[in-house]
Amino acid sequence: CAIYTTNSMLKAEKKLVGTAELLAGRSSHSVSSVSLEGGLERLKTGLSQEGHTLSAGQEEAIRHLVDAGQLKCIVGYAGAGKTTALEACRDIWEDAGYRVYGLAPTGRAAQNLEGSGIESQTLHKFLKAFEEGRCQYNTNSILVLDEAGMVDVERFDKFLGAVQTLGVKAVVVGDGAQLQPVEAGPAFRLVTERVGVSRLEEIVRQKEDWQKEATVLFGQQESQK
């Protein structure tokens, strides 16, 4: 089917993608192998005590997010273990001397992100503080933007602009097939199509095969099957 847009939106989308590619290409905010492997070992031990294991996809996602780079993205279905992966990343970053903060497009999503032990606020509040010169984040800060699929092009561009100015590392998390932005532009999809992204597709929350299959189909917007 045909896809229509406007010149102004096309220009905004190109600017967004350009900023994302620039940030993703910057090798910064690295962690030592000691911090990384120590964090993974602590996570595996904790999961083992609860009768669980760390999936290969979760470990790959963790390694991707904490690897050097000013912008990292992760895409995953609900139930694929994003919360566990973020908890481990927070532990690794803090061990390496960084401070981790969370952002989300809604208050409820920000509360959910705090379930990973990450102090969080809404994206709107963060952008307002940045515009007023009240942000205290710096190169030792990690900003995790959750439910990023709900963020429109204009706000996503403002977020990346703030990341660029402050020198923080941005970790963008979401599921492109979940709730879409109310305003114009599929920003999360545009960004993840152009920069390196880790995908969490193995469902770990459900135990029955039919439940896992249903979760994947819902995530792919193919629930009619």
Side-chain angles (χ1 to χ4, degrees):
C1 63
I3 298 176
Y4 301 96
T5 187
T6 64
N7 286 331
S8 60
M9 178 53 65
L10 184 60
K11 182 182 293 186
E13 290 178 351
K14 286 183 176 180
K15 180 174 180 290
L16 170 71
V17 169
T19 303
E21 290 179 329
L22 178 66
L23 292 172
R26 289 180 177 169
S27 182
S28 65
H29 300 82
S30 61
V31 302
S32 69
S33 59
V34 174
S35 292
L36 172 58
E37 300 304 332
L40 286 172
E41 189 60 34
R42 287 190 295 275
L43 175 61
K44 291 176 181 178
T45 299
L47 289 174
S48 176
Q49 292 173 348
E50 298 173 358
H52 302 297
T53 58
L54 184 68
S55 73
Q58 285 175 306
E59 181 168 344
E60 180 181 342
I62 292 167
R63 291 182 180 276
H64 171 75
L65 295 181
V66 302
D67 193 19
Q70 198 174 351
L71 174 64
K72 294 289 182 177
C73 301
I74 179 172
V75 178
Y77 301 126
K82 286 182 291 186
T83 298
T84 298
L86 287 177
E87 288 176 352
C89 289
R90 177 188 56 76
D91 179 44
I92 292 168
W93 281 318
E94 290 180 347
D95 185 73
Y98 296 105
R99 295 290 303 275
V100 187
Y101 305 93
L103 303 173
T106 67
R108 174 61 61 87
Q111 289 178 347
N112 291 339
L113 185 54
E114 290 195 334
S116 300
I118 300 174
E119 178 185 340
S120 304
Q121 62 178 313
T122 64
L123 177 60
H124 175 77
K125 184 176 180 180
F126 162 74
L127 291 176
K128 182 175 176 58
F130 172 73
E131 291 168 359
E132 295 176 352
R134 295 186 287 106
C135 270
Q136 302 299 313
Y137 305 129
N138 54 40
T139 54
N140 288 324
S141 305
I142 312 286
L143 291 185
V144 178
L145 174 60
D146 199 12
E147 301 290 354
M150 297 173 63
V151 182
D152 62 273
V153 167
E154 181 182 359
R155 286 180 179 81
F156 213 118
D157 185 57
K158 288 181 178 179
F159 167 67
L160 293 186
V163 168
Q164 194 170 21
T165 299
L166 296 169
V168 304
K169 173 170 180 165
V171 174
V172 181
V173 186
D175 180 347
Q178 282 188 331
L179 292 174
Q180 298 301 297
V182 175
E183 304 296 334
F188 182 59
R189 178 173 59 78
L190 288 169
V191 169
T192 54
E193 284 177 351
R194 298 299 293 270
V195 305
V197 58
S198 181
R199 296 184 179 275
L200 273 173
E201 298 178 330
E202 178 185 348
I203 306 304
V204 296
R205 184 182 300 167
Q206 283 81 21
K207 302 303 179 184
E208 300 293 335
D209 289 341
W210 71 266
Q211 293 175 328
K212 294 181 180 181
E213 182 181 4
T215 301
V216 171
L217 289 173
F218 274 115
Q220 295 173 339
Q221 295 183 326
E222 297 178 358
S223 56
Q224 71 275 14
K225 293 185 178 181

